[in-house]
Amino acid sequence: MQDYVLAPSILSADFKELGQDIRTTEAAGASWLHVDVMDGLFVPSISFGMPVIKSIRSVSKIYFDVHLMIEKPERYLEEFVKCGADGITFHLEATEEPLECIDSIHKLGRDAGISINPETPVDTITDEMLKKVELVLIMTVHPGFGGQKYIDECTQKIKAIRERIDGLGSSARLEVDGGINKDTIGTALGAGADTFVIGSSVFIGGTEENTKYFVKALRDYKITA
Ligand code: DX5
Ligand code: ZN
């Protein structure tokens, strides 16, 4: 039976209480933490980088799912591993060397993920990539900010990638990111996603209760699926 993973995105956490917010969500049952790195070039916004990740690494052993929204991610893969990433996902729009990036992440002993923006066609992801990676991240908003609305047109892309992952017999996780909340998580689940990045709907208005809600929702879905 498939396992579903909740990956709270700390982009919406309270940064003056970041360590506590991470402990709260971990204690409430989250098994991953989604760490959004933005460079102000690939996306309009700048979030945080290595020193912050290194610092929060010391408060938790939770799986760090690092989402690089940066140009030429190949420049920094080793540094993100050194500061504590367990998995590194980069954008296919951001590099001309996607296969090399995947191989580099593997050589560094970490899980490799690839991501595409809402306007990027799913066939940008080749079968060769799908066979190699541990994770595919379908963006369901335009990356750069938390709290945006789920883009319905992306549901079809989740379905298409689910079919290809299954068709290839790949064990890659299929993650969705952006606008996932109580109303939209069912749509993404039904389309075949198994890993759910949730920022504002976890960290705004009661982190513990929100985390518990989504952990339970995914557990219940697993039982009935
Ligand atoms: C957006 C980031 C997301 C963001 C999601 O560019 O990649 O991880 O934190 O936030 P919500 O869940 O609020 O849409
Ligand atoms: Zn993200």
Side-chain angles (χ1 to χ4, degrees):
M1 176 105 36
Q2 200 169 11
D3 257 325
Y4 297 98
V5 167
L6 170 67
S9 164
I10 54 169
L11 196 59
S12 295
D14 178 351
F15 277 64
K16 70 180 179 319
E17 307 289 350
L18 191 50
Q20 189 51 49
D21 267 4
I22 294 168
R23 286 192 202 95
T24 301
T25 193
E26 187 177 12
S31 48
W32 283 25
L33 193 74
H34 187 77
V35 179
D36 284 307
V37 178
M38 302 177 181
D39 67 353
L41 285 171
F42 181 71
V43 287
S45 191
I46 297 175
S47 58
F48 50 76
M50 294 83 171
V52 171
I53 301 174
K54 193 174 171 204
S55 171
I56 58 172
R57 184 70 281 179
S58 66
V59 306
S60 172
K61 299 224 179 316
I62 199 168
Y63 184 97
F64 274 12
D65 170 36
V66 174
H67 177 194
L68 297 182
M69 285 162 277
I70 66 173
E71 286 292 345
K72 298 197 191 312
E74 55 273 16
R75 295 173 297 159
Y76 292 114
L77 298 173
E78 191 168 351
E79 282 192 63
F80 281 108
V81 167
K82 278 190 188 146
C83 67
D86 294 297
I88 298 181
T89 297
F90 64 88
H91 274 259
L92 294 184
E93 302 90 351
T95 180
E96 288 169 7
E97 307 169 5
L99 292 168
E100 291 85 344
C101 282
I102 295 168
D103 289 342
S104 300
I105 296 167
H106 286 159
K107 278 190 197 123
L108 292 161
R110 298 299 187 272
D111 296 332
I114 47 176
S115 183
I116 53 169
N117 286 339
E119 66 276 10
T120 302
V122 279
D123 57 15
T124 308
I125 300 174
T126 65
D127 282 355
E128 188 179 6
M129 293 174 195
L130 273 185
K131 284 185 213 157
K132 278 176 176 260
V133 294
E134 282 73 35
L135 182 140
V136 178
L137 167 55
I138 300 293
M139 287 306 301
T140 44
V141 297
H142 297 288
F145 305 95
Q148 302 182 74
K149 192 177 169 302
Y150 180 91
I151 299 173
D152 287 319
E153 288 73 21
C154 296
T155 306
Q156 205 45 49
K157 294 168 75 177
I158 304 167
K159 285 186 187 158
I161 290 293
R162 174 86 271 157
E163 275 177 25
R164 286 179 55 201
I165 286 175
D166 291 349
L168 289 167
S170 155
S171 58
R173 302 202 68 87
L174 178 46
E175 183 174 58
V176 285
D177 183 1
I180 304 295
N181 56 36
K182 291 179 184 180
D183 296 328
T184 56
I185 192 167
T187 303
L189 270 166
D194 56 31
T195 304
F196 301 84
V197 177
I198 308 183
S200 45
S201 294
V202 162
F203 286 108
I204 296 176
T207 302
E208 185 180 350
E209 304 83 271
N210 292 337
T211 304
K212 284 183 176 165
Y213 173 90
F214 288 111
V215 168
K216 182 175 182 315
L218 293 175
R219 199 182 298 134
D220 292 349
Y221 188 87
K222 181 181 170 183
I223 293 164
T224 56

Short mmCIF file of all heavy atoms in Angstrom, two decimals, residues 1-5 158-159 162 173 182 184-196 212-225:
data_model
loop_
_atom_site.label_atom_id
_atom_site.label_comp_id
_atom_site.label_asym_id
_atom_site.label_seq_id
_atom_site.Cartn_x
_atom_site.Cartn_y
_atom_site.Cartn_z
N MET A 1 0.84 -1.21 0.00
CA MET A 1 0.00 0.00 0.00
C MET A 1 0.87 1.25 0.00
O MET A 1 1.88 1.32 0.68
CB MET A 1 -0.91 -0.04 1.23
CG MET A 1 -1.75 1.18 1.40
SD MET A 1 -3.50 1.08 1.01
CE MET A 1 -4.01 -0.54 1.49
N GLN A 2 0.44 2.21 -0.78
CA GLN A 2 1.19 3.45 -0.94
C GLN A 2 1.22 4.27 0.37
O GLN A 2 0.25 4.30 1.11
CB GLN A 2 0.47 4.29 -1.98
CG GLN A 2 1.30 5.33 -2.62
CD GLN A 2 0.56 5.91 -3.82
OE1 GLN A 2 -0.62 5.66 -4.01
NE2 GLN A 2 1.25 6.67 -4.62
N ASP A 3 2.35 4.88 0.61
CA ASP A 3 2.46 5.76 1.78
C ASP A 3 2.32 7.20 1.34
O ASP A 3 2.87 7.60 0.33
CB ASP A 3 3.86 5.61 2.39
CG ASP A 3 3.77 4.76 3.63
OD1 ASP A 3 2.77 4.86 4.34
OD2 ASP A 3 4.74 4.00 3.87
N TYR A 4 1.62 7.97 2.10
CA TYR A 4 1.44 9.38 1.78
C TYR A 4 2.26 10.22 2.75
O TYR A 4 2.30 9.92 3.94
CB TYR A 4 -0.04 9.75 1.84
CG TYR A 4 -0.85 8.99 0.81
CD1 TYR A 4 -1.54 7.84 1.16
CD2 TYR A 4 -0.85 9.40 -0.51
CE1 TYR A 4 -2.25 7.12 0.21
CE2 TYR A 4 -1.55 8.69 -1.48
CZ TYR A 4 -2.25 7.55 -1.11
OH TYR A 4 -2.93 6.85 -2.07
N VAL A 5 2.86 11.25 2.21
CA VAL A 5 3.76 12.06 3.03
C VAL A 5 3.28 13.51 3.05
O VAL A 5 2.95 14.09 2.01
CB VAL A 5 5.21 12.00 2.45
CG1 VAL A 5 6.09 13.07 3.07
CG2 VAL A 5 5.81 10.62 2.68
N ILE A 158 -0.54 16.10 -13.06
CA ILE A 158 -0.29 15.10 -12.01
C ILE A 158 -0.70 13.73 -12.51
O ILE A 158 0.04 12.75 -12.38
CB ILE A 158 -1.09 15.45 -10.72
CG1 ILE A 158 -0.77 16.87 -10.24
CG2 ILE A 158 -0.83 14.43 -9.62
CD1 ILE A 158 -1.74 17.40 -9.17
N LYS A 159 -1.89 13.67 -13.13
CA LYS A 159 -2.38 12.38 -13.66
C LYS A 159 -1.42 11.81 -14.69
O LYS A 159 -1.11 10.61 -14.68
CB LYS A 159 -3.75 12.57 -14.33
CG LYS A 159 -4.89 12.75 -13.34
CD LYS A 159 -6.23 12.80 -14.09
CE LYS A 159 -7.34 13.16 -13.11
NZ LYS A 159 -8.53 13.71 -13.74
N ARG A 162 1.71 10.52 -13.02
CA ARG A 162 1.38 9.28 -12.27
C ARG A 162 1.37 8.09 -13.22
O ARG A 162 1.96 7.04 -12.93
CB ARG A 162 0.00 9.44 -11.61
CG ARG A 162 -0.53 8.20 -10.92
CD ARG A 162 0.00 8.12 -9.50
NE ARG A 162 1.27 7.42 -9.39
CZ ARG A 162 2.13 7.56 -8.40
NH1 ARG A 162 1.94 8.41 -7.43
NH2 ARG A 162 3.24 6.88 -8.37
N ARG A 173 8.54 9.27 -5.91
CA ARG A 173 7.41 9.91 -5.26
C ARG A 173 6.89 11.01 -6.18
O ARG A 173 7.66 11.60 -6.96
CB ARG A 173 7.79 10.51 -3.92
CG ARG A 173 8.38 9.51 -2.93
CD ARG A 173 8.25 9.99 -1.51
NE ARG A 173 6.86 10.01 -1.12
CZ ARG A 173 6.21 8.95 -0.59
NH1 ARG A 173 6.82 7.83 -0.35
NH2 ARG A 173 4.93 9.04 -0.29
N LYS A 182 -7.33 22.11 2.71
CA LYS A 182 -8.38 21.12 2.99
C LYS A 182 -9.28 20.90 1.77
O LYS A 182 -9.82 19.82 1.59
CB LYS A 182 -9.21 21.58 4.19
CG LYS A 182 -8.43 21.54 5.49
CD LYS A 182 -9.26 22.03 6.67
CE LYS A 182 -8.37 22.07 7.92
NZ LYS A 182 -9.07 22.53 9.12
N THR A 184 -8.38 21.34 -1.54
CA THR A 184 -7.73 20.89 -2.78
C THR A 184 -6.96 19.59 -2.64
O THR A 184 -6.61 18.96 -3.64
CB THR A 184 -6.76 21.98 -3.31
OG1 THR A 184 -5.82 22.28 -2.28
CG2 THR A 184 -7.49 23.25 -3.70
N ILE A 185 -6.69 19.17 -1.41
CA ILE A 185 -5.83 17.99 -1.24
C ILE A 185 -6.48 16.75 -1.86
O ILE A 185 -5.79 15.90 -2.45
CB ILE A 185 -5.44 17.77 0.24
CG1 ILE A 185 -4.31 16.73 0.34
CG2 ILE A 185 -6.64 17.41 1.11
CD1 ILE A 185 -3.64 16.65 1.70
N GLY A 186 -7.79 16.67 -1.80
CA GLY A 186 -8.49 15.50 -2.37
C GLY A 186 -8.30 15.42 -3.88
O GLY A 186 -8.14 14.33 -4.43
N THR A 187 -8.29 16.57 -4.54
CA THR A 187 -8.10 16.60 -6.00
C THR A 187 -6.72 16.07 -6.35
O THR A 187 -6.57 15.25 -7.26
CB THR A 187 -8.24 18.06 -6.51
OG1 THR A 187 -9.51 18.54 -6.11
CG2 THR A 187 -8.09 18.14 -8.00
N ALA A 188 -5.71 16.54 -5.61
CA ALA A 188 -4.33 16.10 -5.88
C ALA A 188 -4.15 14.61 -5.56
O ALA A 188 -3.47 13.88 -6.30
CB ALA A 188 -3.35 16.95 -5.09
N LEU A 189 -4.76 14.17 -4.48
CA LEU A 189 -4.71 12.73 -4.13
C LEU A 189 -5.35 11.89 -5.23
O LEU A 189 -4.78 10.90 -5.68
CB LEU A 189 -5.48 12.49 -2.83
CG LEU A 189 -4.73 12.60 -1.51
CD1 LEU A 189 -5.72 12.68 -0.36
CD2 LEU A 189 -3.77 11.43 -1.31
N GLY A 190 -6.53 12.32 -5.65
CA GLY A 190 -7.27 11.57 -6.67
C GLY A 190 -6.51 11.51 -7.98
O GLY A 190 -6.62 10.54 -8.74
N ALA A 191 -5.70 12.54 -8.26
CA ALA A 191 -4.93 12.57 -9.51
C ALA A 191 -3.66 11.72 -9.42
O ALA A 191 -3.02 11.45 -10.43
CB ALA A 191 -4.56 14.00 -9.84
N GLY A 192 -3.29 11.31 -8.20
CA GLY A 192 -2.16 10.40 -8.08
C GLY A 192 -0.96 10.94 -7.32
O GLY A 192 0.08 10.28 -7.25
N ALA A 193 -1.09 12.11 -6.72
CA ALA A 193 0.02 12.62 -5.90
C ALA A 193 0.13 11.80 -4.61
O ALA A 193 -0.88 11.29 -4.11
CB ALA A 193 -0.20 14.09 -5.56
N ASP A 194 1.35 11.66 -4.10
CA ASP A 194 1.53 10.92 -2.84
C ASP A 194 2.29 11.73 -1.79
O ASP A 194 2.46 11.31 -0.66
CB ASP A 194 2.21 9.56 -3.08
CG ASP A 194 3.54 9.67 -3.79
OD1 ASP A 194 4.25 10.69 -3.61
OD2 ASP A 194 3.88 8.73 -4.55
N THR A 195 2.76 12.92 -2.17
CA THR A 195 3.57 13.73 -1.27
C THR A 195 3.09 15.18 -1.39
O THR A 195 2.99 15.71 -2.51
CB THR A 195 5.06 13.60 -1.66
OG1 THR A 195 5.39 12.20 -1.64
CG2 THR A 195 5.96 14.34 -0.68
N PHE A 196 2.76 15.78 -0.24
CA PHE A 196 2.01 17.03 -0.26
C PHE A 196 2.74 18.13 0.49
O PHE A 196 2.89 18.07 1.71
CB PHE A 196 0.63 16.80 0.35
CG PHE A 196 -0.13 15.75 -0.40
CD1 PHE A 196 0.07 14.39 -0.12
CD2 PHE A 196 -0.97 16.09 -1.44
CE1 PHE A 196 -0.57 13.40 -0.86
CE2 PHE A 196 -1.62 15.12 -2.19
CZ PHE A 196 -1.41 13.76 -1.89
N LYS A 212 -1.88 17.89 12.41
CA LYS A 212 -2.63 16.68 12.76
C LYS A 212 -3.76 16.41 11.78
O LYS A 212 -4.02 15.28 11.41
CB LYS A 212 -3.17 16.79 14.19
CG LYS A 212 -2.10 16.57 15.25
CD LYS A 212 -2.67 16.61 16.64
CE LYS A 212 -1.58 16.30 17.67
NZ LYS A 212 -1.98 16.66 19.02
N TYR A 213 -4.42 17.47 11.36
CA TYR A 213 -5.53 17.32 10.41
C TYR A 213 -5.03 16.64 9.12
O TYR A 213 -5.62 15.67 8.64
CB TYR A 213 -6.16 18.68 10.08
CG TYR A 213 -7.19 18.58 8.98
CD1 TYR A 213 -8.53 18.34 9.27
CD2 TYR A 213 -6.81 18.68 7.65
CE1 TYR A 213 -9.47 18.19 8.26
CE2 TYR A 213 -7.74 18.54 6.62
CZ TYR A 213 -9.06 18.31 6.94
OH TYR A 213 -9.98 18.16 5.92
N PHE A 214 -3.92 17.16 8.58
CA PHE A 214 -3.46 16.63 7.29
C PHE A 214 -2.84 15.23 7.45
O PHE A 214 -3.00 14.39 6.57
CB PHE A 214 -2.48 17.61 6.62
CG PHE A 214 -3.17 18.83 6.08
CD1 PHE A 214 -2.97 20.07 6.66
CD2 PHE A 214 -4.05 18.74 5.02
CE1 PHE A 214 -3.62 21.20 6.18
CE2 PHE A 214 -4.71 19.86 4.52
CZ PHE A 214 -4.50 21.10 5.11
N VAL A 215 -2.15 15.01 8.56
CA VAL A 215 -1.59 13.66 8.79
C VAL A 215 -2.74 12.65 8.85
O VAL A 215 -2.67 11.58 8.24
CB VAL A 215 -0.76 13.63 10.10
CG1 VAL A 215 -0.42 12.21 10.51
CG2 VAL A 215 0.54 14.45 9.91
N LYS A 216 -3.79 13.00 9.56
CA LYS A 216 -4.94 12.09 9.69
C LYS A 216 -5.64 11.91 8.33
O LYS A 216 -6.01 10.80 7.95
CB LYS A 216 -5.92 12.63 10.72
CG LYS A 216 -7.11 11.71 10.95
CD LYS A 216 -8.01 12.21 12.08
CE LYS A 216 -9.18 11.29 12.36
NZ LYS A 216 -9.92 10.80 11.20
N ALA A 217 -5.82 13.01 7.61
CA ALA A 217 -6.49 12.93 6.31
C ALA A 217 -5.74 11.97 5.38
O ALA A 217 -6.34 11.15 4.69
CB ALA A 217 -6.57 14.31 5.67
N LEU A 218 -4.40 12.04 5.41
CA LEU A 218 -3.61 11.17 4.53
C LEU A 218 -3.65 9.73 5.02
O LEU A 218 -3.69 8.78 4.23
CB LEU A 218 -2.16 11.68 4.43
CG LEU A 218 -2.01 13.04 3.73
CD1 LEU A 218 -0.58 13.52 3.79
CD2 LEU A 218 -2.47 12.93 2.26
N ARG A 219 -3.66 9.54 6.34
CA ARG A 219 -3.75 8.18 6.90
C ARG A 219 -5.11 7.56 6.54
O ARG A 219 -5.19 6.42 6.10
CB ARG A 219 -3.57 8.22 8.42
CG ARG A 219 -3.20 6.87 9.00
CD ARG A 219 -3.07 6.92 10.51
NE ARG A 219 -2.01 7.81 10.96
CZ ARG A 219 -2.14 8.70 11.95
NH1 ARG A 219 -3.29 8.82 12.61
NH2 ARG A 219 -1.14 9.45 12.31
N ASP A 220 -6.17 8.34 6.70
CA ASP A 220 -7.51 7.84 6.37
C ASP A 220 -7.61 7.51 4.89
O ASP A 220 -8.21 6.51 4.50
CB ASP A 220 -8.58 8.89 6.72
CG ASP A 220 -8.71 9.08 8.23
OD1 ASP A 220 -8.12 8.27 8.99
OD2 ASP A 220 -9.38 10.04 8.65
N TYR A 221 -7.01 8.35 4.07
CA TYR A 221 -7.08 8.10 2.62
C TYR A 221 -6.37 6.80 2.29
O TYR A 221 -6.84 6.01 1.47
CB TYR A 221 -6.44 9.26 1.85
CG TYR A 221 -6.66 9.16 0.36
CD1 TYR A 221 -7.81 9.68 -0.22
CD2 TYR A 221 -5.73 8.53 -0.46
CE1 TYR A 221 -8.02 9.59 -1.59
CE2 TYR A 221 -5.93 8.43 -1.83
CZ TYR A 221 -7.09 8.96 -2.39
OH TYR A 221 -7.29 8.87 -3.75
N LYS A 222 -5.24 6.56 2.95
CA LYS A 222 -4.47 5.33 2.71
C LYS A 222 -5.31 4.11 3.04
O LYS A 222 -5.30 3.10 2.32
CB LYS A 222 -3.20 5.35 3.57
CG LYS A 222 -2.32 4.13 3.37
CD LYS A 222 -1.09 4.17 4.24
CE LYS A 222 -0.40 2.82 4.18
NZ LYS A 222 0.77 2.76 5.04
N ILE A 223 -6.07 4.18 4.13
CA ILE A 223 -6.88 3.04 4.56
C ILE A 223 -7.99 2.76 3.55
O ILE A 223 -8.28 1.61 3.23
CB ILE A 223 -7.47 3.30 5.97
CG1 ILE A 223 -6.34 3.33 7.00
CG2 ILE A 223 -8.51 2.25 6.36
CD1 ILE A 223 -6.71 3.94 8.33
N THR A 224 -8.57 3.84 3.02
CA THR A 224 -9.73 3.63 2.12
C THR A 224 -9.31 3.45 0.66
O THR A 224 -10.11 3.00 -0.15
CB THR A 224 -10.70 4.83 2.21
OG1 THR A 224 -9.97 6.02 1.91
CG2 THR A 224 -11.33 4.95 3.58
N ALA A 225 -8.08 3.81 0.34
CA ALA A 225 -7.68 3.76 -1.08
C ALA A 225 -7.60 2.32 -1.60
O ALA A 225 -7.29 1.41 -0.88
CB ALA A 225 -6.33 4.44 -1.24
#
